[in-house]
Amino acid sequence: MSIGLSRQSRRLFSTHVPEAFLEPLQSHLGITCLSLNRPQAKNAISMKLLHEFRECLETAKYDKSIRALIIRSNTMGSFCAGADLAERRTMSQIQVAKFLSDLRAAFGQLETLPMPTIAAIDGPALGGGLELSFACDLRVAGHGVTKIGLPETRLGIIPGAGGTQRAVRLLGISKAKALIFTAKMLTAQEAHEWGIVDYVSCPSTSAFERAVELAQEITKSAPLALRAAKQAISRAADLSLESGILRLDLERASYEVLLPTKDRLEALEAFKEKRQPVFKGE
């Protein structure tokens, strides 16, 4: 599967090699990649990468041309090995505290982006790298990936960028405890069985290629409807079990805003004319 990337990528720190950058897929309108680019460190999260990653997220948040965002490694065979522990050893306690605060904020930014997000896990997803994927809407793992896990308790710490909370929401309390207490390393297939990843690529394809296929399916839907659906579903998890009426009110509010849109009328016309709708995000 050949996937073309635009030469006009929106890269940050243009005078240096960027460690994180946005790049639209040239051959797939509406799909953009946020690529991690520290191949020598398996994309371990440095202060520079984190800064650039957050700037990418801020740009993506306001770019209405992005209908689906794929978080990936710019180098095949990698995803994100977590925090850069070599850099961590050189940091003061104040720097470490600020780094963790910024990392939590970054994953919060990722989680609340208005468009659907997909993590393409083509290599180890460890610690903060797996926490990063937890902040995405969907996760795809490469068939041959063998290291997916949260090893922090073996390092004398715990997941510190939202991992304990998002793991519970994703897996349930018992599985989250088992994953974190044992620091178990999972293969792609095991991660799928646990519910950590949603898809595993075929042996002949990469997670990125499978993620693009998934994004293509997603981007056939109306952009405004996708954003409204994501908001309604994501906020439902934040409401208590006793607030069912509030959840329905949220769903109704998210639905009603779509009724006067041109995309909804286009969908009705396309159905009548037995053709594919052409959505414009209006």
Side-chain angles (χ1 to χ4, degrees):
M1 179 178 178
S2 176
I3 300 171
L5 292 170
S6 168
R7 293 181 181 178
Q8 299 299 319
S9 60
R10 287 166 283 182
R11 299 190 176 187
L12 304 173
F13 291 90
S14 58
T15 56
H16 305 286
V17 176
E19 294 188 358
F21 59 89
L22 287 170
E23 192 159 18
L25 284 184
Q26 193 172 27
S27 55
H28 299 84
L29 185 66
I31 302 174
T32 290
C33 294
L34 199 174
S35 297
L36 307 179
N37 189 38
R38 291 191 75 211
Q40 76 284 0
K42 298 186 188 308
N43 297 321
I45 305 170
S46 64
M47 289 188 286
K48 181 175 186 288
L49 187 150
L50 179 57
H51 176 78
E52 294 177 353
F53 185 75
R54 294 192 68 183
E55 289 201 351
C56 288
L57 294 175
E58 189 68 12
T59 298
K61 178 179 179 180
Y62 297 103
D63 189 341
K64 293 184 178 180
S65 72
I66 302 176
R67 298 187 182 188
L69 182 69
I70 299 173
I71 315 298
R72 67 185 289 254
S73 170
N74 196 46
T75 304
M76 292 305 298
S78 294
F79 180 63
C80 179
D84 186 339
L85 298 183
E87 182 182 72
R88 177 72 59 87
R89 287 195 296 270
T90 69
M91 295 164 64
S92 67
Q93 286 189 335
I94 292 175
Q95 287 175 316
V96 170
K98 183 179 187 307
F99 178 86
L100 289 174
S101 176
D102 289 346
L103 189 62
R104 293 186 194 105
F107 293 169
Q109 284 178 269
L110 174 58
E111 187 173 47
T112 57
L113 283 177
M115 73 289 293
T117 56
I118 305 169
I121 302 171
D122 267 312
L126 304 173
L130 187 56
E131 290 182 280
L132 185 160
S133 78
F134 284 170
C136 293
D137 296 310
L138 298 165
R139 285 152 295 283
V140 180
H143 187 272
V145 175
T146 59
K147 292 183 179 179
I148 297 174
L150 297 171
E152 283 88 346
T153 55
R154 297 285 175 91
L155 299 171
I157 54 175
I158 66 171
T164 59
Q165 307 307 300
R166 292 190 179 98
V168 169
R169 285 167 51 179
L170 186 65
L171 307 174
I173 290 178
S174 293
K175 283 187 176 179
K177 286 179 176 178
L179 183 69
I180 294 169
F181 290 175
T182 65
K184 183 176 176 63
M185 290 292 106
L186 304 174
T187 65
Q189 288 74 21
E190 289 171 334
H192 185 253
E193 292 168 4
W194 278 56
I196 292 171
V197 302
D198 304 289
Y199 304 90
V200 177
S201 72
C202 297
S204 60
T205 61
S206 67
F208 176 54
E209 289 170 330
R210 182 65 183 91
V212 171
E213 291 176 1
L214 179 59
Q216 285 181 280
E217 287 298 310
I218 289 171
T219 55
K220 291 177 183 177
S221 299
L224 295 178
L226 285 172
R227 290 176 178 232
K230 176 170 178 175
Q231 180 186 52
I233 295 167
S234 297
R235 289 193 60 191
D238 297 327
L239 299 175
S240 68
L241 293 175
E242 292 77 24
S243 53
I245 294 176
L246 289 177
R247 289 189 212 161
L248 292 178
D249 287 342
L250 171 62
E251 181 180 85
R252 177 177 52 77
S254 298
Y255 184 96
E256 288 179 350
V257 74
L258 298 171
L259 293 177
T261 63
K262 293 180 181 178
D263 278 353
R264 189 185 76 89
L265 299 177
E266 163 63 12
L268 294 176
E269 285 298 311
F271 179 79
K272 178 182 176 182
E273 297 169 9
K274 297 182 179 180
R275 61 175 174 81
Q276 289 295 317
V278 180
F279 295 125
K280 298 181 178 178
E282 299 175 354

